[in-house]
Amino acid sequence: MNANPTPQDRSAGPVTGWWTEAAIYQIYPRSFADSDGDGIGDLPGITARLDHLVELGVDALWLSPFYPSPQADAGYDVADYRDVDPIFGTLADADKLIAGARSRGLRVIVDLVPNHTSSAHRWFTAALAAGAGSPERDRYIFRDGLGPAGDRPPNDWQSVFGGPAWTRVTDADGRPGQWYLHLFDSGQPDLNWDNPQVREEFLDVLRFWLDRGVDGFRVDVAHGLIKQADLADWREPQEILSGNEIDKPRPPMWDQDGVHEIYRDWRRVLDSYDGERILVAEAWVEPAERLARYVRPDEMHQAFNFEYLLASWTAPAQYAVITRSLEATDAVGAPTTWVLSNHDVVRHASRLGLPVGGGRPNGIGIGDPQPDAALGLRRARAATLLMLALPGSAYLYQGEELGLPEHTTMPDEARQDPTWARSGHTQRGRDGCRVPIPWEADAPSYGFGPTDARWLPQPPLWAEYALDRQRGVPGSTYELYRTALRLRREHGLGRGTLQWRESGDEVLSFRNGGLTVLTNFGDAAVPVPAGAEVVAASATLTDDGRVPTDVTVWVRG
Ligand code: NOJ
Ligand code: MG
């Protein structure tokens, strides 16, 4: 393993702390619970449902952005980092949510979006007004266009959502002016992290939320803040992953070495607070050794393990990604994280119902090949039970505890993700995993809110997945999650050590915390270890007690 460790990497002692083994539940506020019936979930809605998280058995929650925003990218376009958007509530509501979580022993992580602001942020408005060459423009990445008329973008970079990564502004005199960089939507201008004011501002934003009692930050696009100084052409299609070979040239917009200095500064701020406040990187960086650099002892605490999320559903692929993840984080003395779903990817209950080894669609719509729902759910349950047995911390996405599938037949007119329009209607985007979740089978909007209003349509059959249809029902996905989270805690699996068992190419098996875990990827049912007691199973075993295809078991003894 060549992670190019620096001297301080090797001196890292064993890391401890709540976060090293936590199960962290992602709340997507728009779609969790709507208190006022406007069809958009909100902070009071979340506060009213906190007992659900306690019952489920998670340790912490992470809230996707709730800050003032024009919602060009569902709140990842922040206009004010120190307030709450009226659609989600008020700052007082945020305080109540934090207090409510704390009183229940739940930690709270908020989202921080430092790569870009909204174009409605006062800094961007000032930059437009101030004109070319001004200090106001220097907080963003403005450049003159190419060609005699400056009418060609400054380089060939593409937006992650499709289309060019540059938009030309109109000057005060009505004439076309400079261009600004936006790696995402045109409503999300990229900040210039070489500007000291930008650095100061975010240190202050960190303090603002730390002072309000949050336990940490999920850092959006953590691998994007620094761009290669010459903004060189890239000539490749935009990929949010930065390439999976250590020696391959990295795209000039991702995973530049300069980002690490920023996180070292932030870490110093967090460490000056009491409690164990954490930073978790959303960094689509491969290979694992490059990603591990974000969690060196003086940088962030955790990074999402997207390589794990993307791994194929085969025993060799799962073995390889788990081993690689553990080795890479061990090399820097950090714990590993695991994740199967979030608000940016097709939900794993549907993704795993697509052919193994096939492409990873950016959303699924009517007319696209449809996943096999039953197979997807069966594998999703097996995958979750496998994941929750791994040492490290696990991230869960709201609704996966209900086995929710992607909405794969959403009418295109209902779509809100900028990806759909910006890709020229070629990529459906992420709306299908962001649908308001069902709480009660027979209530309006399935209990999401007091009315039928909902910002995205819920699919038919949503009633089947509602919490009240699963609660207390043996074998339901919800009860499977509760059992797994309880046993995970009781057996200390999150802080355990994984020991592989010899199991061939069709089965994955390991020991952790006194349990043996086994997932069967093969066609034939396999026996559980002799004399062992099954304590959790992702599906019913065969009549003679063997583990069928696409099933995970945890056994004791
Ligand atoms: C990653 C977020 O998870 C995603 O939802 C967002 O669109 C981009 N970053 C841009 O902020
Ligand atoms: Mg609402």
Side-chain angles (χ1 to χ4, degrees):
M1 187 110 314
N2 174 17
N4 296 329
T6 55
Q8 75 259 34
D9 295 332
R10 294 206 184 85
S11 65
V15 189
T16 56
W18 67 270
W19 48 277
T20 59
E21 53 178 310
I24 303 177
Y25 183 95
Q26 179 188 358
I27 292 186
Y28 193 66
R30 303 177 72 87
S31 297
F32 188 69
D34 177 20
S35 72
D36 58 4
D38 67 350
I40 304 179
D42 42 51
L43 300 188
I46 299 169
T47 306
R49 295 276 191 187
L50 284 174
D51 287 335
H52 167 65
L53 304 185
V54 175
E55 184 183 273
L56 178 60
V58 296
D59 304 293
L61 51 106
W62 146 39
L63 297 157
S64 279
F66 48 75
Y67 315 109
S69 162
Q71 307 289 325
D73 182 23
Y76 281 95
D77 47 323
V78 180
D80 180 353
Y81 291 85
R82 296 178 185 79
D83 205 348
V84 173
D85 195 291
I87 64 173
F88 296 123
T90 62
L91 260 185
D93 292 328
D95 291 339
K96 277 189 211 138
L97 169 48
I98 295 167
R102 168 162 298 173
S103 70
R104 289 168 174 83
L106 294 167
R107 311 260 182 170
V108 178
I109 295 173
V110 293
D111 221 302
L112 185 74
V113 188
N115 180 66
H116 42 264
T117 69
S118 162
S119 53
H121 191 281
R122 64 188 162 80
W123 275 5
F124 195 72
T125 316
L128 291 184
S134 60
E136 287 83 354
R137 285 211 174 172
D138 189 58
R139 294 190 287 225
Y140 293 92
I141 303 178
F142 279 87
R143 293 289 184 278
D144 293 332
L146 300 181
D151 57 358
R152 285 191 292 117
N155 69 21
D156 67 356
W157 297 3
Q158 298 294 299
S159 150
V160 172
F161 297 153
W166 296 89
T167 290
R168 194 169 194 186
V169 302
T170 305
D171 282 338
D173 60 8
R175 300 235 289 262
Q178 290 189 297
W179 299 70
Y180 67 91
L181 178 69
H182 52 88
L183 292 177
F184 295 88
D185 188 66
S186 55
Q188 295 167 294
D190 279 56
L191 285 163
N192 170 18
W193 274 86
D194 292 327
N195 183 309
Q197 285 177 37
V198 172
R199 295 196 182 224
E200 271 311 306
E201 170 70 0
F202 277 87
L203 293 174
D204 198 63
V205 170
L206 290 174
R207 289 190 199 100
F208 179 87
W209 289 103
L210 290 166
D211 288 340
R212 298 194 102 83
V214 305
D215 296 286
F217 301 89
R218 175 266 189 193
V219 180
D220 190 64
V221 201
H223 59 318
L225 275 52
I226 298 290
K227 282 77 181 173
Q228 193 174 296
D230 59 2
L231 302 182
D233 279 347
W234 174 235
R235 286 181 291 275
E236 304 276 337
Q238 184 55 269
E239 278 289 344
I240 199 158
L241 278 177
S242 64
N244 53 12
E245 289 157 41
I246 196 103
D247 298 328
K248 202 171 133 184
R250 274 190 308 288
M253 68 295 279
W254 302 130
D255 194 30
Q256 300 296 304
D257 289 342
V259 296
H260 297 288
E261 185 188 318
I262 298 171
Y263 305 132
R264 292 196 177 103
D265 286 350
W266 292 9
R267 179 64 180 256
R268 280 191 285 275
V269 173
L270 266 73
D271 285 349
S272 72
Y273 280 77
D274 60 357
E276 296 161 2
R277 323 277 184 122
I278 69 160
L279 295 166
V280 50
E282 189 235 10
W284 291 84
V285 169
E286 287 187 351
E289 293 89 333
R290 275 305 288 191
L291 183 62
R293 294 160 57 98
Y294 289 75
V295 291
R296 288 179 287 194
D298 57 348
E299 297 192 37
M300 301 218 195
H301 299 74
Q302 295 185 333
F304 293 125
N305 188 348
F306 294 126
E307 196 177 339
Y308 177 70
L309 182 153
L310 297 172
S312 290
W313 185 246
T314 67
Q318 296 284 320
Y319 172 81
V321 73
I322 293 168
T323 308
R324 217 163 35 231
S325 305
L326 291 168
E327 282 175 2
T329 47
D330 279 356
V332 295
T336 310
T337 68
W338 312 101
V339 61
L340 289 165
S341 280
N342 64 33
H343 66 295
D344 288 331
V345 299
V346 171
R347 282 183 176 275
H348 68 288
S350 296
R351 196 174 68 233
L352 294 173
L354 294 168
V356 172
R360 183 176 70 99
N362 185 351
I364 299 172
I366 305 170
D368 290 332
Q370 294 289 308
D372 177 333
L375 179 68
L377 180 57
R378 182 179 179 83
R379 288 182 174 160
R381 291 168 52 118
T384 298
L385 205 55
L386 168 57
M387 173 178 84
L388 290 178
L390 295 170
S393 118
Y395 278 83
L396 305 174
Y397 176 48
Q398 67 179 38
E400 67 168 87
E401 75 277 25
L402 306 174
L404 286 190
E406 185 85 357
H407 190 341
T408 58
T409 55
M410 184 183 291
D412 289 336
E413 319 73 85
R415 295 191 182 281
Q416 311 249 347
D417 181 354
T419 303
W420 177 234
R422 288 196 62 90
S423 69
H425 298 163
T426 58
Q427 303 287 321
R428 288 217 149 76
R430 303 160 295 174
D431 295 304
C433 64
R434 299 177 172 181
V435 173
I437 64 173
W439 297 89
E440 289 135 33
D442 299 319
S445 63
Y446 303 108
F448 164 63
T451 67
D452 258 330
R454 52 223 131 161
W455 70 283
L456 282 176
Q458 295 165 308
L461 302 182
W462 227 218
E464 270 177 28
Y465 296 94
L467 177 64
D468 68 349
R469 289 271 176 95
Q470 301 197 37
R471 218 163 164 214
V473 177
S476 69
T477 303
Y478 179 64
E479 293 302 335
L480 175 68
Y481 270 73
R482 286 189 63 203
T483 302
L485 287 164
R486 178 175 53 76
L487 290 170
R488 184 175 187 276
R489 197 182 291 232
E490 283 171 15
H491 288 265
L493 301 183
R495 59 174 178 277
T497 307
L498 177 149
Q499 291 165 288
W500 290 112
R501 295 171 70 237
E502 198 54 58
S503 53
D505 258 10
E506 311 226 299
V507 169
L508 200 66
S509 185
F510 58 86
R511 286 188 62 78
N512 180 16
L515 297 182
T516 298
V517 177
L518 184 154
T519 304
N520 182 7
F521 295 83
D523 291 334
V526 297
V528 295
E533 174 206 355
V534 176
V535 294
S538 65
T540 324
L541 304 191
T542 60
D543 288 344
D544 59 354
R546 283 173 306 137
V547 183
T549 307
D550 293 326
V551 173
T552 298
V553 289
W554 293 4
V555 301
R556 196 168 12 221

